[in-house]
Amino acid sequence: MNKGTLYKLREKATQVNWPLLVFLLLVLNVKLVVKIAAVLLIVVINRKSISGKEFFKQRYLFFYFGLICIGLINLLLQFSNTSTTYLATVVMGTSFWMMSALIAYLLYKIIQKGDAVKLHNTVTVFFVLHVAVIFINLLQIMIETGSVNPYTYKGLNAKYYISTGDFITGITFDAPVTTAFICVFGILYFLYRKQFLLSLAGMAALLVMASNFANLILFGVFVFAFIFNSSRVQKSFIVIYTVMLVVFMAKLSPQNNEHVGRIFYRVIDKPYDLPPVKVLTLSELKKAPDSILTPAEKKQRYARNYIDSMNAIRLGSDFKEPENIFAKRAAFTGNNSIKDPAFYQFKESPGIKEKINRYARFLDQVYSEQQQDSLGQLYNWKKSPGKWIAGKELFRFLENNPAKIFLGGGMANFSSRLAFKATLLNIAGRYPEKLEYVNPDFLYNHLFIYLYYHSQEQSKHEASNTPDAVYYQVMGEYGIIGLLLLLGLYFGFFLRHTRKMSFGLPIILVLAGAFFAEYWFEQFSVVVLFELLFFLDMKDLRREGQTA
């Protein structure tokens, strides 16, 4: 490498805010201990610019302070019946909210004092790294399966197939839905900054994730942006992205199409019946033109003709045993089990089996048969997705407990990541054994939903069957007042600043949709990225106003 190249690399390196990049990579990492280390690191780096008085005056933090106050009020109201373990749980819950507020404050300070060009370069590097790791993950899967399209590959006991996206983690090593929503933010960020090639790469990475929920939210935002908030060029790319999504769903991962359809029909309580398909006989298949055959039928006809031709060759003297496709693929992948027909039969991994058994034991030990039957009769569990039932449970809970309508049931008492942690079932990460805590309101509502589906076969362990949602958490644990704080103080603050902004409004819409999945504030991931991007867009708007 010559001196000129080294000089250019050094020059480009100076155009990146490295402390911010390291902070993003660490705070968005899946491990909580890494997130805490990231916050401590960035506090030390920026200690001179941090002010306690300024911290408590920031309007964008009032939502966080409000929920902490509601949580402490609930603790006081229930103090006579409060256990030591619940006190510890409230302390931990308060710490989580304070950590969220501190991260938002630190990001705001970094953005305000940082150079705009360096900040944008840093965000670009982060998204590029994320997309690159996604495609590296996909390449590893393709090599392991020996298939160009692992989304239709049923080998390895259907380890990948429709679940291929579950094995792709991106730069954060987090859950697929988190990885997908990071891609969504990247797509919109590059689209509105007119970096269309990077935006296309982000869209390709999102399709690789095969996240139906993230795709649905992004499609809704695309519709809004196409009508109200885009230029002609941006509209053209929105159309291109939509076509990419349709092609992927229809051609590369058609089973996802059927999967989404089944969920939709379950929500509207209608049977999902595919239209009748005429089954061609072998003689009809051989005579039918290609124009009326499906790709599968064409392959079937080819195979049938091949078998017939081989039978004819067997009658001659120059017969040669056909190539063993199983042996060929086994040699390519290094997996000799591919010769076994069971190689293509679905089989749950030992880890999944262990979790199913663990949840089933918990159900039998904690819930009596009468309680399980009673809960099972309340809702249509076979036809409705778990997330839909979770919403019904929330309103039923508030209806049966009018005293909790305004302030909710309290921290970790109805539905939150912390509530799942405290069960010691290792659902949302580890938790101190001595601090095990499960509130009855959680036990007989959202926890039962999760255990009901996750104690069954793996096909039931889909995101649509989980009660995770910010709206459920806020309504259930902080009541109507908590929901008003979320809408008025949090979304309200950001919405007031979207006028004349670039990508501010689209990413707000993404976040509002994402809040129907996962407890994002306790994840320290998607919300952190949203706040970073929004503060950056605010800085650009102010800078343009100053230079105008």
Side-chain angles (χ1 to χ4, degrees), residues 18 48 140 219 242 447 518:
W18 290 103
K48 293 183 179 180
Q140 291 172 333
F219 178 75
T242 305
L447 179 58
E518 292 292 345

Side-chain angles (χ1 to χ4, degrees), residues 286-467:
K286 293 178 181 180
K287 297 176 182 178
D290 287 349
S291 58
I292 69 169
L293 297 179
T294 65
E297 288 172 334
K298 291 178 182 178
K299 292 178 181 178
Q300 187 180 357
R301 183 175 65 179
Y302 177 83
R304 185 68 258 176
N305 290 336
Y306 176 79
I307 292 172
D308 289 347
S309 63
M310 291 305 299
N311 286 336
I313 294 174
R314 286 177 189 275
L315 300 177
S317 58
D318 298 328
F319 172 70
K320 182 180 179 181
E321 188 70 24
E323 181 181 25
N324 189 331
I325 189 172
F326 292 105
K328 182 180 179 181
R329 181 166 287 180
F332 179 77
T333 62
N335 191 340
N336 290 324
S337 63
I338 200 168
K339 299 176 182 179
D340 187 353
F343 181 74
Y344 291 95
Q345 295 175 1
F346 174 75
K347 185 171 64 175
E348 291 162 341
S349 67
I352 294 295
K353 288 181 179 179
E354 190 277 327
K355 284 199 293 186
I356 290 174
N357 293 333
R358 188 197 323 150
Y359 299 151
R361 286 195 302 270
F362 187 90
L363 275 172
D364 292 337
Q365 293 170 2
V366 177
Y367 303 86
S368 66
E369 289 187 15
Q370 184 179 0
Q371 288 173 331
Q372 292 188 45
D373 291 340
S374 177
L375 291 170
Q377 292 173 8
L378 288 175
Y379 309 101
N380 193 339
W381 295 85
K382 292 184 178 180
K383 292 185 178 180
S384 300
K387 200 171 290 291
W388 185 260
I389 293 176
K392 291 183 177 181
E393 279 192 346
L394 169 62
F395 286 103
R396 184 173 177 273
F397 165 71
L398 295 176
E399 182 181 4
N400 294 338
N401 298 273
K404 298 179 179 180
I405 289 177
F406 292 102
L407 296 177
M411 286 188 188
N413 281 346
F414 184 78
S415 183
S416 60
R417 189 175 180 84
L418 179 58
F420 277 106
K421 275 180 175 288
T423 62
L424 299 186
L425 287 169
N426 200 21
I427 294 175
R430 297 187 179 278
Y431 195 79
E433 291 187 12
K434 294 181 180 180
L435 301 180
E436 179 183 6
Y437 174 78
V438 183
N439 187 275
D441 292 335
F442 178 52
L443 183 69
Y444 297 111
N445 286 285
H446 284 191
L447 179 58
F448 182 79
I449 288 179
Y450 187 92
L451 295 175
Y452 173 83
Y453 288 106
H454 286 72
S455 61
Q456 300 181 51
E457 67 272 11
Q458 190 174 343
S459 62
K460 300 290 185 180
H461 305 179
E462 54 193 23
S464 62
N465 283 333
T466 62

